[in-house]
Amino acid sequence: MEKYNQIVINEDPSFTEVWHEGYVKVDGERHYFWLINPKGVDPRGNEYAPEVRWFFARVPREVRVMYNSIIEAFKQTQKDDSANSARDLKSL
């Protein structure tokens, strides 16, 4: 009896990602990353989580553990940008 697997891929994209480049500087050396920010929400209204991907495979452990700090710093800049935009709108 043959067993079949099925692969299904939706034609319409589920969400869009915005990629930001950045780096962590440790002992004068820069370790570059992409911060991937998915836009939109899932069918239940949940926001997708940002993700960090390193440019290169060889990144020291003490840099890799900064993953959550990088995401939190990004979220803070997003909040700051929103607040600045709201302030700018009020001044018009």
Side-chain angles (χ1 to χ4, degrees):
M1 178 178 200
E2 286 189 47
K3 192 174 188 178
Y4 291 96
N5 291 321
Q6 184 179 26
I7 298 173
V8 177
I9 300 173
N10 295 335
E11 288 184 28
D12 296 324
S14 301
F15 58 90
T16 302
E17 294 177 332
V18 177
W19 290 52
H20 302 267
E21 291 184 14
Y23 64 87
V24 172
K25 190 171 183 179
V26 176
D27 296 331
E29 186 176 356
R30 292 181 181 183
H31 302 278
Y32 290 89
F33 62 84
W34 291 287
L35 186 134
I36 305 156
N37 186 24
K39 296 295 182 182
V41 294
D42 73 2
R44 294 183 178 149
N46 299 309
E47 290 185 12
Y48 295 106
E51 178 183 348
V52 173
R53 289 194 199 159
W54 300 100
F55 277 29
F56 307 106
R58 300 192 83 195
V59 176
R61 181 177 299 160
E62 64 269 15
V63 175
R64 285 189 183 274
V65 299
M66 297 182 74
Y67 184 100
N68 290 331
S69 298
I70 293 167
I71 290 175
E72 288 306 313
F74 174 74
K75 287 179 180 178
Q76 188 60 47
T77 61
Q78 296 297 298
K79 287 179 188 173
D80 291 347
D81 288 348
S82 294
N84 288 338
S85 295
R87 266 195 302 273
D88 292 345
L89 288 175
K90 286 181 181 177
S91 65
L92 291 175

